[in-house]
Amino acid sequence: MKLKKQVTVCGAAIFCVAVFSLYLMLDRVQHDPTRHQNGGNFPRSQISVLQNRIEQLEQLLEENHEIISHIKDSVLELTANVEGPPALLPYYMSNGSWVVPPEPRPSFFSISPQDCQFALGVRGQKPELQMLTVSEELPFDNVDGGVWKQGFDISYSPHDWDTEDLQVFVVPHSHNDPGWLKTFDKYYTEQTQHILNNMVSKLQEDPRRRFIWAEVSFFAKWWDNINAQKRAAVRRLVGNGQLEIATGGWVMPDEANSHYFALIDQLIEGHQWLEKNLGATPRSGWAVDPFGYSPTMPYLLRRANLTSMLIQRVHYAIKKHFAATHSLEFMWRQTWDSDSSTDIFCHMMPFYSYDVPHTCGPDPKICCQFDFKRLPGGRINCPWKVPPRAITETNVAERAGLLLDQYRKKSRLFRSNVLLVPLGDDFRYDKPQEWDAQFFNYQRLFDFLNSKPDLHVQAQFGTLSDYFDALYKRTGVEPGAQPPGFPVLSGDFFSYADREDHYWTGYYTSRPFYKSLDRVLEAHLRGAEILYSLAVAHARRSGVASQYPLSNFALLTEARRTLGLFQHHDAITGTAKEAVVVDYGIRLLRSLVNLKQVIINAAHYLVLGDKKSYRFDPESPFLQMDDTRLNHDALPERTVIQLDSSPRYVVLFNPLEQERLSVVSLLVSSPRVRVLTEEGQPLAVQVSAHWSSATDMVPDVYQVSVPVRLPALGLGVLQLQLGLDGPRTLPSSVRVYLHGRQLSVSRHEAFPLRVIDSGTSDFALSNRYMQVWFSGLTGLLKSIRRVDEEQEQRVGMEFLIYGTRSSKDKSGAYLFLPDGEAKPYVPKDPPVLRITEGPFFSEVVAYYEHVHQVVRLYNLPGVEGLSLDVSSLVDIRDCVNKELALRLHTDIDSQGTFFTDLNGFQVMPQAWGPRDPMEQNLDCVYCPHHRPWQVICSDRAGGIGGKTDRGPNGARILLICWPCPRRCSPGGIGRSCPCRPTSTPCRSWPASRTHRAASRCTLPRPWASPASMMLEVILDRRLMQDDNRGLGQGLKDNKRTCNHFRLLLERRTLGREVQDGPSTSYPSLLSHLTSMYLNTPVLALPVAKRQPPGPALCSFRPLASSLPCDFHLLNLRTLQAEDDSLPSAETALLLHRKGFDCGLEAKNLGFNCTTSQGKVALGSLFRGLDVVFLQPTSLTLLYPLASPSNSTDIYLEPMEIATFRLRLG
């Protein structure tokens, strides 16, 4: 107690000094003659004087911010060890509620005013093409365009090229899916290896031949199986430009469901492999098959130093519009970019597909005649009934003229006289005969065309970069620069429709079980990368690296490649055949188990007090896994800690770069349990029954929940003992509502339980921040009232069912074609409700026939207590052509605007408006399944007080999912509902000028509707038929699937209202942190019971202090040594500085958060390690951006991702 008083006095003294210093500075502004003299140098204009004083005030505010930050650091340092961990000892109120007293340590929320300017700042000149505006203005009328069905007739004059020849680049390619109708290995064995083997021999036959390849996953497997002579030949082909590796990622990823961590990781894996094995550095992106395009991908490619890219699957109406306005080539710019630093040149293919009939020109009947694999006698032919003819001296003039006509027509859609003509399709060139047929016949055509100067055309084989280089040369700019007259575009290309109203939005939620498993693997990979890198660095510094299992690096490499493989646009999308999905699932589970082993080994070393006592024994792991899965399609089963007379220890890993206060729940074998810190200090715990069903307790298994404060990226240690601690071992109380059903309910003497046969009255749960009301009949959420507000916010939940059309076109793995409005879900029996209440959390569980929903409210200060935790266990395996949805109704009036995120990286505005008549029958479309996904709906009213006809003004509701599916709105999809994929826990918000409600999820995706703002989450879909997009199967392999969400309600502060017409939006810092809590849960690793007493276990604090709370440590990735299976001494540090909105209330949040104007001192970041080498590089480490420097202070602009080559010692 004496020490605590000393700390309090010391903290108060520091604060007084700081306040007095600020007073002196303000006084200096008024009286300092030097400043007055300096002011005299300005013009006497009142505006100039005012501007000078504003600048002085800004400087003083920044100085004050720094002083407050120093005060915070000093007080936290002084209080860090005074009371040890949180002493949160709850007590029970007479009204039946639990109260958790505030912690003795202070919390700080100190945001620099400068850091708030980004979300408010002007973004420079608006791009000519903003996709939200384009989508709102297009007619989507689907008029028959003639031979180009989805376009229009194209005319030209033969003299159009008199002054400048048409330059044609025919680009041979073969699109190889790493799994779709066959598994990855079967495709490789039966087709891909033959394509690549033929490539080597056939390209060497003629130096004029060219070929491009994209999927490094296949290339790496082939490389491991070829001899040195063939490898040397491949390097020569790359070196002389005959072979180009385009994009260079591990796969061609889906851009709707993939999280930006995984997109970056597969790009790094591919680029690092290419650099090491081929010495190749990709220059151009090639994405012909993803089902829609996110602006996240061009940002990542540009930061990887690519200068150009190509896309194909864009809504046919947008293609038609861009073709008509000569906008098929543009500079793709990020919405926040004010100086064009994110610009990348993008080519959009104009026609229906990337196959040969749809690439030479507008008429597929003619283009098909120039696909020489379809020559008579082959296995495939032309659907238009006119076959190709081999090119001979007698027909070359006629055939060349016919082809040139198509080239000329296609070229009239672009702004330059350089033309790109892809020549390929899926798994093409697997036979030598096709190589000969295509290359020989086209070369004869080229030779003829090039020999006729009066035709004004030069045609040749080329790579993708050959085409872009020629275009840059023709337009007189450097590679990657904006050619004169070419437009700038911002936005995304979701949702994709290839014909009629067939929107490819079903895949956003197809096979959600595997989408969820992907996110679990991703979180484990990031955690394993960080812990492994830190453990190896500390082991090397301590001189015990020889005893550490460095060979775990091979497990990391395999997991990187597994995660990368699953980002493929037929894997994470859920659009592969059932056997292929099983193959993916087995790979994912194997890598997940391996990553748990990497984490266990690293955590074992790092928590040892005496590192020299470390011994690695693979046969007897020191730590156990937190959970296990029996097979790839089973849900995890949590490890049960067996308690006896000896203490049991548990190591807790916090993967966040922020210190966190979380409730950690463990399964134990007895309700008589005490939990202590590593120093032996007892902690208050909540003990609950563990339930196997609505009414059955699991015998001899109990849940103990304890609030724990864990260091950033660190490890904590808990001790569990058998026995009771009266004031601190606190049982949960339970009420079960049977609603008239004759069911027997398990009881246990340790837990008060009350059974209510027919109660239907609404009831509420509450914590220090909010009161949450539920329906007594359905058990579903009805409303939320924040404790500082009198008015409730309506947030009602209901379950819905979508069917599919009765016509020939039905929903399938790709498409969402509903039969109209969603209908209420009607279970056979009323739900059984179980309400659990305790000191640290309370929850409502509603058991329906096909879904069990849990809504949990944490009674903790900080991030955990500020939002609702919502999870669902879904099982629709007995349904036929049904899709189960969860809808949230709110009374937020967003005036037709809402926001969804993309890939967990950025947030885009959406709007509702008039619908296209063709789409009136569609209820809505849903958008992707990502990792942090957010959908944001906000009331746009100006004031804080509410109007009775609008609901509370200024509300923002944010739904954060992990991953999560989402839909757009009743009324159709087209112009105003280009449902965007979302990604960071599914963030979406209806956002008003003064309120925001947010929700985060880990599985399905939310959508928003204009009618009193609704959010909808698609939980699962079961469809019995194919949707005619090539798969040949329905979706009938459903699994029991868990979904996880956070629902966050925020209010705007007075004077921080949103302006009209936002081009983008940003989550609050609270929203970002809520998303991170959801996506990176604490891992609990019990010390194996059979371990004898050994050296003391100590918490591990790798960082000297938490990173600024707008920084995210994306990865700390150990780089490969010359030996593929071993680590080098260098790591890749990836940091992301997030853009955030300061305009939402940030008082009494209960957690620490400071920003630093984008500056981080890396040299002092890692506790116990020195940064001995630091070099900024391109995103994938192929290009150094500066020379290594002695300075380790770095700066990032908001939204930017930066990569550093780092050596710790």
Side-chain angles (χ1 to χ4, degrees):
M1 183 61 70
K2 182 178 179 181
L3 180 57
K4 182 177 178 181
K5 290 181 179 179
Q6 291 175 347
V7 169
T8 304
V9 172
C10 184
I14 295 173
F15 181 76
C16 292
V17 170
V19 172
F20 185 66
S21 300
L22 180 60
Y23 169 78
L24 291 178
M25 287 190 293
L26 291 171
D27 185 66
R28 189 178 61 191
V29 170
Q30 294 179 344
H31 302 292
D32 187 347
T34 305
R35 294 200 177 212
H36 283 292
Q37 285 181 349
N38 291 339
N41 295 330
F42 284 88
R44 294 185 178 182
S45 162
Q46 290 297 317
I47 295 177
S48 298
V49 172
L50 180 60
Q51 181 179 1
N52 187 32
R53 290 181 177 176
I54 290 173
E55 291 173 354
Q56 293 174 359
L57 182 59
E58 288 176 346
Q59 179 183 350
L60 291 173
L61 286 171
E62 292 300 333
E63 292 174 0
N64 181 51
H65 177 74
E66 292 180 9
I67 292 171
I68 296 298
S69 296
H70 289 312
I71 295 172
K72 178 214 68 167
D73 293 339
S74 300
V75 174
L76 287 182
E77 184 177 353
L78 287 167
T79 59
N81 298 310
V82 172
E83 297 292 339
L88 307 167
L89 186 58
Y91 55 91
Y92 200 64
M93 297 285 286
S94 57
N95 62 3
S97 63
W98 284 95
V99 174
V100 178
E103 288 190 273
R105 54 183 282 159
S107 64
F108 291 88
F109 195 83
S110 177
I111 307 302
S112 165
Q114 179 181 324
D115 290 332
C116 293
Q117 296 305 307
F118 175 73
L120 304 173
V122 178
R123 299 284 167 252
Q125 187 175 1
K126 287 186 177 181
E128 296 93 317
L129 300 172
Q130 290 182 297
M131 287 312 301
L132 178 61
T133 303
V134 170
S135 297
E136 290 173 340
E137 294 176 352
L138 283 187
F140 292 91
D141 48 7
N142 198 27
V143 174
D144 190 333
V147 295
W148 179 15
K149 287 291 185 184
Q150 297 172 335
F152 47 83
D153 288 331
I154 304 171
S155 61
Y156 64 87
S157 166
H159 300 290
D160 286 347
W161 296 271
D162 286 353
T163 58
E164 186 177 61
D165 286 356
L166 177 63
Q167 191 173 7
V168 180
F169 288 90
V170 174
V171 180
H173 69 97
S174 180
H175 177 62
N176 282 235
D177 292 302
W180 181 38
L181 306 181
K182 304 176 187 178
T183 65
F184 174 81
D185 288 332
K186 193 170 185 181
Y187 268 137
Y188 173 79
T189 301
E190 296 182 0
Q191 292 173 275
T192 305
Q193 66 169 331
H194 304 303
I195 297 169
L196 293 171
N197 286 331
N198 289 329
M199 173 196 74
V200 178
S201 59
K202 292 300 180 179
L203 288 184
Q204 292 183 96
E205 291 178 4
D206 188 337
R208 295 173 295 179
R209 295 180 178 180
R210 299 288 186 271
F211 196 69
I212 68 169
W213 189 265
E215 297 84 7
V216 175
S217 52
F218 273 132
F219 206 91
K221 184 176 179 66
W222 173 70
W223 187 264
D224 290 340
N225 290 282
I226 61 175
N227 58 33
Q229 182 181 3
K230 190 172 285 189
R231 290 183 177 184
V234 172
R235 292 190 183 103
R236 285 195 300 272
L237 291 171
V238 171
N240 66 21
Q242 285 186 262
L243 171 62
E244 178 181 11
I245 308 297
T247 307
W250 201 246
V251 296
M252 185 184 293
D254 172 57
E255 299 185 23
N257 297 278
S258 295
H259 186 252
Y260 79 114
F261 173 94
L263 289 174
I264 293 171
D265 206 65
Q266 64 87 29
L267 198 61
I268 292 176
E269 190 63 26
H271 283 195
Q272 289 291 295
W273 188 94
L274 288 171
E275 181 185 46
K276 180 179 180 181
N277 293 281
L278 297 182
T281 52
R283 298 171 52 206
S284 303
W286 173 264
V288 292
D289 206 23
F291 321 140
Y293 299 92
S294 166
T296 303
M297 200 65 193
Y299 171 78
L300 300 179
L301 294 180
R302 189 69 195 95
R303 289 295 174 259
N305 213 37
L306 278 71
T307 55
S308 317
M309 63 179 295
L310 173 146
I311 59 177
Q312 153 60 23
R313 289 194 184 271
V314 173
H315 194 298
Y316 62 87
I318 293 174
K319 285 193 171 194
K320 177 180 177 180
H321 173 69
F322 279 21
T325 57
H326 300 95
S327 301
L328 289 165
E329 293 182 319
F330 49 85
M331 305 302 294
W332 201 343
R333 180 177 299 171
Q334 301 303 310
T335 54
W336 69 82
D337 182 7
S338 60
D339 62 2
S340 72
S341 68
T342 62
D343 284 11
I344 186 170
F345 186 83
C346 183
H347 173 101
M348 181 189 295
M349 296 171 64
F351 306 126
Y352 175 78
S353 174
Y354 56 83
D355 62 5
V356 180
H358 296 94
T359 49
C360 88
D363 191 343
K365 179 179 178 180
I366 293 175
C367 291
C368 193
Q369 299 173 45
F370 294 90
D371 183 358
F372 295 103
K373 181 175 182 175
R374 302 176 194 250
L375 285 167
R379 295 177 59 185
I380 60 171
N381 52 34
C382 285
W384 297 270
K385 308 302 183 184
V386 182
R389 286 186 279 161
I391 305 302
T392 65
E393 289 186 7
T394 58
N395 70 9
V396 66
E398 178 266 329
R399 305 308 290 169
L402 188 64
L403 182 60
L404 179 58
D405 176 66
Q406 291 297 301
Y407 287 170
R408 286 174 168 175
K409 287 178 177 177
K410 183 177 181 180
S411 76
R412 291 298 81 196
L413 306 179
F414 295 89
R415 298 190 183 218
S416 83
N417 284 328
V418 184
L419 182 66
L420 173 67
V421 181
L423 180 67
D425 201 349
D426 291 357
F427 294 95
R428 282 299 191 88
Y429 301 97
D430 58 340
K431 302 283 194 302
Q433 294 83 351
E434 182 182 0
W435 285 86
D436 293 339
Q438 303 285 25
F439 281 95
F440 283 139
N441 284 291
Y442 267 99
Q443 193 60 58
R444 287 168 184 156
L445 291 165
F446 296 163
D447 290 344
F448 177 83
L449 291 171
N450 296 341
S451 69
K452 304 295 181 181
D454 57 311
L455 295 179
H456 297 288
V457 62
Q458 292 295 314
Q460 64 192 74
F461 293 116
T463 64
L464 184 60
S465 291
D466 287 340
Y467 165 74
F468 285 126
D469 287 344
L471 184 147
Y472 294 136
K473 184 176 181 181
R474 278 280 180 98
T475 55
V477 299
E478 292 295 317
Q482 181 179 357
F486 282 59
V488 175
L489 176 144
S490 68
D492 61 79
F493 294 102
F494 291 110
S495 291
Y496 168 59
D498 57 348
R499 59 178 183 261
E500 299 173 354
D501 59 356
H502 293 190
Y503 281 83
W504 293 44
T505 52
Y507 78 94
Y508 295 158
T509 38
S510 294
R511 293 179 167 126
F513 178 89
Y514 293 100
K515 288 174 165 67
S516 179
L517 185 55
D518 163 83
R519 294 305 193 261
V520 172
L521 180 65
E522 180 184 307
H524 278 75
L525 176 59
R526 177 180 171 272
E529 296 270 24
I530 293 170
L531 276 189
Y532 178 85
S533 296
L534 291 171
V536 170
H538 279 279
R540 284 172 171 158
R541 185 179 177 100
S542 301
V544 295
S546 60
Q547 301 176 39
Y548 190 82
L550 299 178
S551 57
N552 278 180
F553 183 78
L555 302 181
L556 283 176
T557 300
E558 181 192 7
R560 294 168 180 172
R561 295 179 176 182
T562 298
L563 181 68
L565 183 70
F566 196 68
Q567 305 316 302
H568 163 54
H569 56 265
D570 283 309
I572 194 171
T573 53
T575 55
K577 281 195 178 291
E578 291 179 8
V580 179
V581 173
V582 169
D583 181 64
Y584 286 135
I586 291 171
R587 291 170 183 267
L588 292 170
L589 179 59
R590 182 174 62 234
S591 289
L592 179 60
V593 172
N594 288 342
L595 289 174
K596 288 181 181 291
Q597 194 61 54
V598 175
I599 290 171
I600 283 171
N601 292 338
H604 174 200
Y605 175 77
L606 293 171
V607 295
L608 287 179
D610 178 11
K611 298 291 191 287
K612 296 190 182 300
S613 66
Y614 173 76
R615 296 293 182 270
F616 171 62
D617 182 359
E619 302 302 320
S620 180
F622 183 77
L623 298 172
Q624 294 177 276
M625 296 181 182
D626 55 328
D627 59 33
T628 56
R629 295 178 186 242
L630 294 178
N631 50 57
H632 72 93
D633 58 359
L635 292 172
E637 297 181 5
R638 293 161 59 193
T639 300
V640 180
I641 302 172
Q642 299 296 324
L643 300 178
D644 54 28
S645 57
S646 303
R648 293 295 307 274
Y649 292 88
V650 179
V651 175
L652 304 175
F653 172 41
N654 171 26
L656 285 182
E657 59 281 322
Q658 303 292 325
E659 179 188 74
R660 79 193 288 170
L661 175 61
S662 290
V663 171
V664 175
S665 294
L666 307 169
L667 295 185
V668 295
S669 59
S670 170
R672 295 170 50 83
V673 58
R674 300 176 67 228
V675 179
L676 299 88
T677 66
E678 61 190 88
E679 298 89 1
Q681 178 179 337
L683 297 173
V685 300
Q686 177 176 337
V687 182
S688 313
H690 187 55
W691 299 82
S692 61
S693 70
T695 57
D696 295 320
M697 297 180 185
V698 179
D700 301 323
V701 178
Y702 309 89
Q703 179 173 274
V704 56
S705 302
V706 55
V708 181
R709 186 175 296 280
L710 295 171
L713 296 178
L715 300 163
V717 179
L718 291 181
Q719 181 183 163
L720 278 65
Q721 296 179 353
L722 194 60
L724 283 178
D725 184 341
R728 291 183 172 84
T729 304
L730 306 169
S732 302
S733 62
V734 180
R735 302 195 310 275
V736 177
Y737 290 74
L738 295 178
H739 291 136
R741 297 172 65 178
Q742 301 302 308
L743 298 171
S744 174
V745 182
S746 299
R747 294 180 179 271
H748 193 286
E749 60 184 11
F751 309 108
L753 186 145
R754 186 159 57 102
V755 177
I756 302 167
D757 289 327
S758 57
T760 58
S761 300
D762 293 350
F763 57 89
L765 302 179
S766 61
N767 68 5
R768 68 181 64 202
Y769 299 111
M770 69 185 90
Q771 186 179 54
V772 185
W773 283 91
F774 297 84
S775 164
L777 184 63
T778 67
L780 302 181
L781 183 66
K782 291 189 71 174
S783 65
I784 301 173
R785 183 182 66 82
R786 301 193 341 167
V787 295
D788 56 350
E789 296 178 358
E790 293 184 1
Q791 190 171 358
E792 292 182 355
Q793 183 78 54
R794 178 193 175 211
V795 187
M797 283 185 177
E798 65 173 327
F799 291 111
L800 303 168
I801 291 289
Y802 284 94
T804 189
R805 294 178 181 178
S806 57
S807 62
K808 66 172 184 175
D809 295 316
K810 294 180 171 63
S811 296
Y814 298 92
L815 304 183
F816 174 62
L817 299 174
D819 57 354
E821 290 283 350
K823 300 172 180 61
Y825 168 70
V826 182
K828 292 179 182 177
D829 300 301
V832 173
L833 309 182
R834 190 177 67 243
I835 297 92
T836 300
E837 295 185 81
F840 297 123
F841 76 85
S842 298
E843 66 183 19
V844 177
V845 188
Y847 283 85
Y848 289 85
E849 181 183 359
H850 295 99
V851 57
H852 305 160
Q853 186 188 76
V854 182
V855 178
R856 177 175 287 192
L857 183 64
Y858 287 104
N859 193 18
L860 276 188
V863 176
E864 293 277 40
L866 285 160
S867 60
L868 275 180
D869 188 276
V870 183
S871 59
S872 301
L873 176 62
V874 180
D875 188 353
I876 61 170
R877 288 176 291 181
D878 63 349
C879 294
V880 175
N881 277 333
K882 303 296 182 187
E883 304 189 38
L884 180 64
L886 172 65
R887 179 178 289 177
L888 286 79
H889 300 266
T890 79
D891 50 11
I892 294 174
D893 180 3
S894 68
Q895 298 185 4
T897 298
F898 70 106
F899 300 85
T900 58
D901 84 357
L902 292 165
N903 313 103
F905 178 64
Q906 57 184 305
V907 174
M908 304 291 287
Q910 317 296 331
W912 310 115
R915 306 294 180 214
D916 149 29
M918 182 181 70
E919 295 157 347
Q920 284 293 342
N921 293 329
L922 269 185
D923 177 66
C924 72
V925 197
Y926 42 65
C927 305
H929 213 81
H930 293 323
R931 173 153 165 188
W933 295 122
Q934 299 189 9
V935 181
I936 308 169
C937 302
S938 302
D939 179 357
R940 302 190 62 78
I944 289 291
K947 298 180 182 177
T948 56
D949 62 338
R950 299 180 51 121
N953 288 344
R956 169 187 277 194
I957 185 166
L958 172 60
L959 180 64
I960 306 171
C961 328
W962 187 80
C964 70
R966 65 172 200 256
R967 294 205 192 222
C968 280
S969 100
I973 32 192
R975 5 187 336 180
S976 324
C977 184
C979 250
R980 319 294 196 198
T982 117
S983 185
T984 175
C986 199
R987 298 180 228 183
S988 82
W989 55 79
S992 76
R993 287 182 179 165
T994 55
H995 270 70
R996 173 186 285 184
S999 155
R1000 314 230 174 220
C1001 24
T1002 63
L1003 228 171
R1005 230 123 310 271
W1007 63 278
S1009 153
S1012 72
M1013 218 58 222
M1014 293 185 294
L1015 298 176
E1016 188 168 309
V1017 177
I1018 306 304
L1019 299 174
D1020 201 358
R1021 54 201 314 257
R1022 182 172 173 84
L1023 302 161
M1024 313 312 289
Q1025 63 283 315
D1026 180 46
D1027 51 10
N1028 300 311
R1029 290 308 184 274
L1031 180 58
Q1033 290 182 347
L1035 292 174
K1036 297 183 284 187
D1037 56 346
N1038 301 74
K1039 318 295 179 189
R1040 295 173 68 240
T1041 300
C1042 282
N1043 310 314
H1044 201 178
F1045 315 87
R1046 284 290 179 95
L1047 187 66
L1048 176 63
L1049 183 67
E1050 298 179 288
R1051 175 185 284 277
R1052 287 205 167 273
T1053 54
L1054 189 62
R1056 295 295 185 95
E1057 295 83 3
V1058 175
Q1059 302 303 311
D1060 291 332
S1063 61
T1064 188
S1065 182
Y1066 302 94
S1068 65
L1069 284 169
L1070 172 59
S1071 171
H1072 279 308
L1073 287 171
T1074 304
S1075 171
M1076 294 303 300
Y1077 270 58
L1078 180 63
N1079 287 300
T1080 55
V1082 173
L1083 296 184
L1085 309 172
V1087 175
K1089 184 178 180 180
R1090 59 183 174 275
Q1091 291 291 340
L1097 304 182
C1098 302
S1099 60
F1100 171 63
R1101 301 175 179 271
L1103 303 185
S1105 62
S1106 295
L1107 282 170
C1109 51
D1110 57 341
F1111 273 75
H1112 173 45
L1113 194 149
L1114 196 58
N1115 209 346
L1116 187 63
R1117 189 184 205 265
T1118 296
L1119 300 178
Q1120 190 179 69
E1122 284 302 314
D1123 182 340
D1124 291 356
S1125 63
L1126 292 176
S1128 72
E1130 293 184 341
T1131 60
L1133 171 65
L1134 281 82
L1135 293 175
H1136 175 204
R1137 186 183 176 199
K1138 299 189 174 186
F1140 62 90
D1141 185 347
C1142 291
L1144 295 138
E1145 283 187 356
K1147 59 183 180 182
N1148 303 321
L1149 295 184
F1151 61 90
N1152 296 318
C1153 178
T1154 59
T1155 61
S1156 59
Q1157 302 90 56
K1159 294 174 284 190
V1160 176
L1162 292 180
S1164 57
L1165 180 63
F1166 297 98
R1167 188 191 304 268
L1169 294 171
D1170 298 322
V1171 176
V1172 297
F1173 176 85
L1174 181 71
Q1175 183 176 41
T1177 72
S1178 60
L1179 181 67
T1180 58
L1181 297 105
L1182 296 188
Y1183 299 89
L1185 301 182
S1187 300
S1189 170
N1190 292 330
S1191 173
T1192 55
D1193 295 340
I1194 61 108
Y1195 170 78
L1196 261 67
E1197 292 281 354
M1199 293 300 297
E1200 290 291 348
I1201 299 172
T1203 302
F1204 302 89
R1205 193 180 290 270
L1206 185 74
R1207 191 179 305 131
L1208 298 172

